[in-house]
Amino acid sequence: MSLDAKTLSQLVSTVARFVDERLIPLEHEVAEADAIPPALIHEMQDLGLFGLTIPTEFGGLGLTMFEEVQVIFELGRASPAFRSAIGTNNSIGSQGIVISGTDAQKQRYLPKLANGEIIGSFALTEPEAGSDAGSVRTTAIRDGNGYIINGTKRYITNSPQAGLFTVFARTDLDTKGANGVSAFLVEADTPGLSVGKPDRKMGQQGAQIADVVFNDCRVTGDALVGGVEGQGFKTAMKTLDRGRIHLGAVCVAVAERLVSDSLRYAMTRKQFGQPIAGFQLVQAMLADSKTETFAGRSMVEETARQRDAGGLVATEASCCKYFCSEMVGRVADRAVQIHGGAGYMVDYGIERFYRDVRLFRIYEGTSQIQQLVIAKNMIREAGG
Ligand code: COS
């Protein structure tokens, strides 16, 4: 359901105010503690941020893709860890249910995901399966009216906080590729499921990832997403298509923040008796970052519009993820350069963004996977 223009603009400005007044002042503290204060999570719940994309009949805001990216353009101006807190509930941790779930699965889980009562997490990657998502080794073997899951999932975002996992496991051991994989909804307190210690990582402190281990973890038959075996890979791909547009918007938002921080710094920092913004070589960096950020915003908005209109946007979603994640890497690099020595110092926070944005080129499909998807689709559409 689409919001009217006034309601959307009110929502976007409320989120913008929240980012400026509550999130940006806490960035340093959250990175140091590697955790978001619970009170802030409650504020995010009160603002409805966990349910942006979940249909209204299940308690979410039911935003269209275009509306969602407008909110993310604001929310993403703060450290990526804050977006990550609500990211999985709005994207890969809920959309498998929204897209492929049964009515009972939707009724049971979507309201709790929408209000943030539980955190959803997407358990696809494994020690031996990342880019090659169809080769998962985790198994789900039929047992009576249920399944027994065994295997290890790796680098699972928000798993330490999660109440519900969408787990991809092989139900057909004789089918090696994607078609033998099914998706399951597994609650975090199910016996046999355990979450490892949060991994130590390069950036995005405050957003936690860990291993999720299944050791004879028994689930009932109604945990099978959509009630159909063999559809798990397709569910994962459809979920990731939406997630890639969302992530493109996050990258644009961070780039816009860095452009504005770089401009402000260049206009106040003086060298050779004048603000460095007066120097053409600094201007070139500012102009390149502005131009690339604008290009990213334009393609994300256009892809979102096409998706809302019912178009198939797998190619364009990959274009957004590929371009925007690479683009924000270049913008972050220039931001450090424009800030000079200050850009390398922890207190200014620019080096933190430089580390944070590196992940965007890796998760939810590396840049190389996006290139493969784009080219494969081009060749198929050309009849190859
Ligand atoms: N939407 C719906 N269905 C899709 C799809 C999509 N976006 N992409 C693929 N499919 C379907 C295909 O149509 C095919 O169906 P049929 O068997 O009925 O023909 C099936 O899924 C297998 O597709 P394909 O042969 O393209 O699969 P591959 O094993 O070659 O894998 C890539 C394709 C590499 C693109 C895929 O594995 C991928 O996206 N990997 C990256 C995963 C990822 O992002 N990992 C990061 C961790 S998740 S945070």
Side-chain angles (χ1 to χ4, degrees):
M1 192 186 72
S2 191
L3 299 179
D4 63 75
K6 190 165 164 230
T7 311
L8 177 63
S9 135
Q10 277 169 348
L11 174 64
V12 169
S13 47
T14 302
V15 174
R17 215 169 35 247
F18 180 63
V19 166
D20 290 327
E21 292 173 6
R22 298 290 294 132
L23 301 189
I24 291 179
L26 284 171
E27 286 177 339
H28 187 68
E29 184 185 318
V30 164
E32 289 289 300
D34 195 12
I36 300 177
L40 206 58
I41 297 286
H42 289 140
E43 288 179 51
M44 291 180 175
Q45 288 175 312
D46 291 344
L47 285 170
L49 294 178
F50 285 89
L52 298 172
T53 63
I54 294 175
T56 48
E57 68 259 44
F58 300 109
L61 296 183
L63 300 188
T64 63
M65 192 81 232
F66 184 80
E67 292 165 347
E68 177 188 345
V69 301
Q70 301 306 315
V71 173
I72 296 302
F73 287 151
E74 289 303 330
L75 191 63
R77 288 191 295 111
S79 278
F82 295 113
R83 193 288 317 181
S84 189
I86 60 105
T88 47
N89 279 35
N90 281 299
S91 182
I92 56 179
S94 70
Q95 292 303 309
I97 308 174
V98 173
I99 295 169
S100 306
T102 62
D103 280 347
Q105 289 167 342
K106 290 179 185 176
Q107 302 281 359
R108 183 175 169 100
Y109 294 118
L110 291 180
K112 290 181 186 166
L113 288 164
N115 65 20
E117 187 184 327
I118 56 169
I119 297 298
S121 188
F122 183 80
L124 174 63
T125 300
E126 298 183 356
E128 305 293 333
S131 293
D132 185 5
S135 74
V136 294
R137 292 186 181 183
T138 295
T139 55
I141 305 298
R142 246 184 199 290
D143 178 63
N145 69 346
Y147 294 85
I148 296 185
I149 305 180
N150 277 291
T152 298
K153 297 291 178 179
R154 181 135 298 166
Y155 309 142
I156 304 304
T157 302
N158 287 343
S159 55
Q161 289 77 30
L164 178 70
F165 294 92
T166 306
V167 181
F168 297 88
R170 189 164 295 285
T171 40
D172 182 351
L173 304 191
D174 298 327
T175 306
K176 288 284 166 254
N179 291 334
V181 177
S182 303
F184 293 89
L185 299 170
V186 187
E187 296 178 16
D189 59 3
T190 309
L193 185 162
S194 58
V195 178
K197 257 183 32 194
D199 293 308
R200 297 175 63 220
K201 48 191 175 29
M202 179 198 259
Q204 299 215 7
Q205 275 71 29
Q208 296 189 333
I209 63 170
D211 277 5
V212 183
V213 179
F214 298 87
N215 191 358
D216 286 337
C217 177
R218 191 174 202 293
V219 294
T220 54
D222 55 13
L224 178 66
V225 173
V228 192
E229 287 187 8
Q231 292 298 307
F233 181 83
K234 284 177 191 163
T235 297
M237 291 301 118
K238 288 183 204 158
T239 304
L240 286 169
D241 282 347
R242 196 181 209 286
R244 286 166 183 166
I245 307 173
H246 175 105
L247 263 185
V250 177
C251 294
V252 168
V254 175
E256 288 181 346
R257 161 76 181 276
L258 289 170
V259 168
S260 110
D261 283 4
S262 298
L263 178 62
R264 192 170 51 244
Y265 186 81
M267 290 174 71
T268 49
R269 167 77 174 160
K270 287 190 176 155
Q271 286 294 280
F272 304 102
Q274 59 163 303
I276 61 170
F279 297 117
Q280 289 182 340
L281 294 179
V282 173
Q283 290 173 0
M285 288 192 276
L286 289 170
D288 284 354
S289 290
K290 174 76 183 172
T291 305
E292 291 199 272
T293 304
F294 177 49
R297 178 183 266 262
S298 305
M299 67 197 285
V300 167
E301 289 191 333
E302 175 58 18
T303 306
R305 274 196 205 96
Q306 283 182 24
R307 190 181 189 281
D308 288 338
L312 294 173
V313 293
T315 307
E316 290 74 10
S318 281
C319 293
C320 287
K321 163 72 163 66
Y322 176 40
F323 178 80
C324 295
S325 62
E326 295 281 336
M327 175 277 285
V328 72
R330 294 189 291 271
V331 169
D333 187 67
R334 287 186 207 110
V336 173
Q337 198 66 17
I338 292 166
H339 282 77
Y344 204 67
M345 296 300 132
V346 169
D347 286 351
Y348 284 80
I350 299 296
E351 62 81 36
R352 191 185 60 237
F353 275 107
Y354 180 78
R355 288 181 288 107
D356 286 350
V357 301
R358 189 63 183 81
L359 182 59
F360 294 138
R361 288 158 62 190
I362 299 171
Y363 70 177
E364 295 195 30
T366 59
S367 290
Q368 290 68 34
I369 286 293
Q370 309 310 327
Q371 289 173 302
L372 286 185
V373 172
I374 295 163
K376 214 169 159 177
N377 290 348
M378 287 168 67
I379 293 164
R380 200 186 45 235
E381 280 159 27

